[in-house]
Amino acid sequence: MRRARRSQLDGPAAPATSFASVIPRVFLAAAIIAIQPLVGCSAPQQQADLPPLMPMVAAPPQPAEPKPPPPPKPVKPKPEFSAHVASYKTLADAQAAWPRLVQQFPALKDQPRHYAEIDLGGQRGKVVRLLLGEFAASAEATEYCHRLRAAGLYCAPHDLPPSLVAKTGL
């Protein structure tokens, strides 16, 4: 038997490593090393030193809850009643009598006063009534009249007429 060549006995020969085949592997390794910090494959202490890939954006501030509107102010009821304390033939007589009435009953000066012309009809004709106070309910006017009667003054609850001859405030 003939001697076989050594290359035939050892099996196929190893491929020759050329310089051209090594260069792409070096570039690939360098590229992997370069992108490791960008994809998060590096050690944690190295990541802390690097800026984040995307800037952190804070959520927009939420609008403050609107304040509830203030409660409506209580509406003072329209006065519909008053207290009739005296009657006179003319407006001039009623206005002239007011200071004497306040002198006798000082508590009256704190109430608004109204002068209303009322036609009693027939022989009685027209009179001017002195009305004191402004009350939303007839019960309030009645209570006020009870206090005035207890003090010795005539008083009767009276509707506050829409058309008054004169109104004098406090």
Side-chain angles (χ1 to χ4, degrees):
M1 210 167 131
R2 255 177 162 213
R3 262 182 144 196
R5 290 187 181 179
R6 182 166 202 217
S7 62
Q8 290 175 346
L9 294 174
D10 293 341
T17 305
S18 69
F19 184 71
S21 65
V22 173
I23 292 176
R25 290 184 200 158
V26 171
F27 283 119
L28 179 61
I32 291 173
I33 291 170
I35 65 168
Q36 280 179 349
L38 299 176
V39 293
C41 297
S42 63
Q45 68 270 14
Q46 290 174 344
Q47 279 185 346
D49 297 339
L50 297 175
L53 291 177
M54 295 183 62
M56 297 298 292
V57 177
Q62 297 295 325
E65 290 185 27
K67 293 181 181 178
K73 293 181 180 178
V75 178
K76 186 176 180 182
K78 182 179 175 185
E80 296 183 20
F81 299 94
S82 192
H84 168 214
V85 294
S87 295
Y88 303 93
K89 289 188 180 195
T90 65
L91 178 60
D93 290 344
Q95 290 173 334
W98 175 248
R100 289 189 306 269
L101 202 55
V102 170
Q103 188 176 4
Q104 283 182 308
F105 304 96
L108 298 181
K109 69 179 177 184
D110 294 335
Q111 291 292 330
R113 64 184 185 273
H114 306 276
Y115 299 97
E117 187 176 57
I118 307 293
D119 187 1
L120 298 175
Q123 295 178 346
R124 296 181 78 185
K126 293 182 181 180
V127 296
V128 176
R129 287 186 175 169
L130 173 59
L131 305 175
L132 293 179
E134 296 176 343
F135 306 101
S138 64
E140 294 175 59
T142 302
E143 175 61 33
Y144 183 69
C145 280
H146 284 302
R147 289 192 309 243
L148 291 182
R149 283 189 208 136
L153 181 66
Y154 167 80
C155 185
H158 194 282
D159 291 342
L160 195 57
S163 60
L164 298 170
V165 173
K167 175 182 176 180
T168 306
L170 295 174

